[in-house]
Amino acid sequence: MMRLRYSPTSPFVRKVMVVALETGLAESIDLVLTNVWEPDTDIQTHNPLGKVPALITEGGEVLYDSPVICEYLDGLHEGVKLFPPTGGARWTALRRQALGDGMMDATVARFLEERRPSGERSEAWAVRQKLVVERALDGLEEEADELSGDMDTMDIGKLTIGVALGYLDLRFAADDWRSGRGRLSDWFNGVNRRPSMTGTAPKDPPA
Ligand SMILES: N[C@@H](CCC(=O)N[C@@H](CS)C(=O)NCC(=O)O)C(=O)O
């Protein structure tokens, strides 16, 4: 068995679990619940960066971060690859993965910032993160026809974008990212119905 250091609300962990389900590997992974914010967490014994996800392979090697773990899992199955091996499709998928990961980084940063005690909170920093996500969403709306054109082919880029949009719904539903972005929201509805997405849907966490 592989082991995954995970937290229930991390979008990066969800991304790994989506890939595990898409590739038929979910049952080969034991989940190890990890709270990276606890003072006595031992996450650093597996990841010096102090973050989840981290994967311990069957051979005992430790892998992070989520792009590396996802590509590793994609090498373990015989089906259609989520990381296109070569050519333009590969670079588009990797760019979209980077975009989705960046949206999640910015959304996590904003969420944490807005939860700081008022004297420590930087409004400007939170606004900066929000703008990052809005620019990314506007770019994705432009790209939505290309995303939708090929609904049967899933890849790491599309899955990461789907998880990033799901995370916005979890943390900042009131911002209503769908407003004025009908094509992106239609595309998301399709992706969000995949068993890998419904099977990993985040539950509203305790505060
Ligand atoms: N680039 C990393 C990001 C992972 C990440 O930011 N994880 C968060 C949870 S959502 C975390 O563990 N944060 C702890 C910290 O920043 O100290 C990946 O793709 O796996």
Side-chain angles (χ1 to χ4, degrees):
M1 280 300 249
M2 296 180 270
R3 286 185 296 146
L4 183 71
R5 303 287 309 247
Y6 95 109
S7 88
T9 55
S10 166
F12 300 97
V13 169
R14 184 181 185 200
K15 179 187 158 199
V16 168
M17 290 311 299
V18 165
V19 165
L21 284 166
E22 293 277 348
T23 55
L25 290 165
E27 285 176 7
S28 308
I29 301 177
D30 269 338
L31 298 177
V32 183
L33 185 62
T34 303
N35 181 347
V36 293
W37 304 111
E38 257 170 23
D40 60 353
T41 180
D42 69 345
I43 183 64
Q44 68 284 350
T45 62
H46 289 121
N47 182 356
L49 305 174
K51 296 183 183 193
V52 287
L55 182 83
I56 301 111
T57 68
E58 286 196 10
E61 189 178 350
V62 184
L63 297 177
Y64 46 80
D65 52 1
S66 69
V68 177
I69 297 170
C70 290
E71 191 157 1
Y72 175 77
L73 294 178
D74 202 34
L76 297 182
H77 72 107
E78 298 303 326
V80 177
K81 296 296 178 187
L82 295 174
F83 287 73
T86 54
R90 176 170 175 82
W91 301 117
T92 301
L94 292 182
R95 177 186 56 77
R96 287 184 181 143
Q97 176 180 223
L99 184 68
D101 282 346
M103 292 168 74
M104 301 193 291
D105 277 330
T107 306
V108 168
R110 178 181 164 205
F111 179 72
L112 294 174
E113 192 64 33
E114 292 187 0
R115 286 184 146 202
R116 281 186 210 286
S118 59
E120 295 175 21
R121 202 180 306 145
S122 162
E123 188 58 28
W125 181 251
V127 167
R128 188 180 167 89
Q129 308 307 324
K130 186 174 181 206
L131 283 176
V132 165
V133 173
E134 279 175 5
R135 283 196 303 264
L137 288 167
D138 289 340
L140 285 168
E141 175 68 10
E142 295 287 308
E143 226 182 302
D145 289 345
E146 282 152 59
L147 286 167
S148 307
D150 194 7
M151 269 315 264
D152 293 338
T153 319
M154 237 340 108
D155 64 40
I156 189 63
K158 294 178 185 179
L159 291 175
T160 308
I161 303 275
V163 172
L165 295 175
Y167 190 63
L168 287 177
D169 282 341
L170 178 73
R171 293 305 195 199
F172 293 104
D175 285 355
D176 192 11
W177 63 263
R178 289 171 179 77
S179 169
R181 302 192 186 100
R183 286 175 297 165
L184 182 61
S185 107
D186 286 348
W187 173 79
F188 177 67
N189 288 342
V191 170
N192 209 27
R193 278 197 291 270
R194 296 179 76 81
S196 63
M197 292 293 285
T198 55
T200 57
K203 294 172 196 60
D204 201 30

